[in-house]
Amino acid sequence: MSGFSDRVEQVSISGIREVFEAAGEDAINLGIGQPDFPTPEHARQAAVDAIESGKADAYTGNKGTESLREAISAKHDRDNGYAVEPGNVIATAGGSEALHLAIEAHVDVGEEVIYPDPGFVSYEALTHIAGGEPKPVALREDLTLDPAAVEEAITDDTAAFVVNSPSNPTGAVQSKEDMQEFARIADEHDVLCISDEVYEHIVFEGDHYSPMEFAETDNVVVVNACSKSYSMTGWRLGWVAGSNRRIERMLRVHQYVQACASAPAQFAAEAALSGPQDCIGEMTAAFEERRDVLLDGLSDIGLETPTPHGAFYAMPKVPEGWVDEVLDRGVIVVPGEAFGEHGEGYARISYATDLEQIEEALDVMGAAAAAVR
C-alpha cells in the first residue's frame, strides 16, 4: 500500500503558520519575522538590470555566481574578521535551505542534533527529515544557550549542535565567551557546530560573535542570509560557508534539490552585500526604539520579559490563557510552545512593525492580561 515516510510523518505544520491562519484579516500581526522596511533600492535595481540584460535567464553555477560568492567572502572578512574562500560558499534559497543542507549532509539516521529550546522551528523538523534524533536543550533564565548544557548533552551519537545568535525566537545574543566555548566543544568533541547567524547585524547591546572566529578545526559551518539584514525575506537568498570538504558534501544535496539559487536574487544580494550598508544601521535603530516601547509596555502590564539584545523578538512569560485571549482580541502573537517544550508559559512577540501598531497591540495585551488573571 502506498504510504508516507516515517520521517515526514514526524513533522507537523509550523505552529507559527497555524496562528496566522486562525487570525482574522484585520488582526495586528506581531507574529511574523519579517522587517517592515523596503529592500534597498540598489539591490532591487541590480535584479532589474540583470533581468533586462538577460543575465538572469539561465542557471548559474550550482554554488552561485562567482561575483556573489566573492561578495559573501568579502562580507565575512569585513564584518566577521575571518576568511572564507569564495569556493567554500554555496548560495541557497534563503537561510532555510542552508540549514537543510548543513543537517542533511552531516546527520545519519539515528544520530542526534542538539539545539536550543525554545528555538527556531526548523531545527527539530529538519533533523526529523534527515532521519536524525532531535535533542533539545533548555536555555538559561536569560534565554541564552549554555555551552555547559550543550557539552553535557553530547553523546557518542551526536552529529551536530546548533547555535543561533541573535536568536529567533528569544532575541538573546550569545557572549564572546560563549562562542569561544562552542568552538572549543566542536573541536574537542569532534562534532559539527552549525552557527545560524541570520540576525547577526541586528544587535542593540554588545557585539555579534561567530564560533567560526575561534574554531581550530573545520567543525563549524555558518548559515546566513540577506533576509533580515537587508529586508529581503521574499528574495529567498541565503548561503552556507564552511571548509571545502564540508561544502562539497552539502553541494551534493543542493545540486539535486535546488540546482542553484534564483539568479535575479543572486544579483540583488551581491549588490546588497557590496553596496551602501546604511540601511542596516537605520533598521537596527528603529527596531531598538520599538523594543524599548514594547518592553516598557509589557512591564506596565506586569509581564516579566528577559531583555532581548538583538533580532526583533521578545519572549515574555505569560499567564495561562493569555495567548488565546490576545488572539481572540485581534493581535497575532505566537505561543512559546511552538518553539519547543521549554517555551511553554512564554509567547513570542515580533516588533518588526510600526510603533503605532505596537502601542495599539499593548492596549489589547493589557486587557487580555486583566481578563485571564
Side-chain angles (χ1 to χ4, degrees), residues 42 47 49 66 70 73 83 94 102 127 168 171 201-202 206 230-231 262 274-275 293 309 320 327 337 342 344 357:
H42 59 279
D49 292 345
E66 181 72 19
E70 287 174 349
S73 176
T127 299
N168 176 9
H201 288 299
I202 307 173
Y230 300 100
S231 196
S262 161
S274 303
V293 169
H309 295 297
E320 186 175 354
L327 291 170
E337 56 265 32
H342 294 284
E344 186 173 359
Q357 287 200 314

Side-chain angles (χ1 to χ4, degrees), residues 59-82:
Y59 292 120
T60 70
N62 288 143
K63 291 182 180 179
T65 67
E66 181 72 19
S67 56
L68 170 59
R69 289 182 288 114
E70 287 174 349
I72 293 169
S73 176
K75 167 259 175 299
H76 282 298
D77 182 62
R78 176 188 72 216
D79 298 339
N80 308 112
Y82 57 77

Side-chain angles (χ1 to χ4, degrees), residues 129-144:
I129 289 170
E133 293 292 329
K135 196 166 186 180
V137 171
L139 303 179
R140 297 164 169 145
E141 278 296 310
D142 67 354
L143 301 183
T144 58

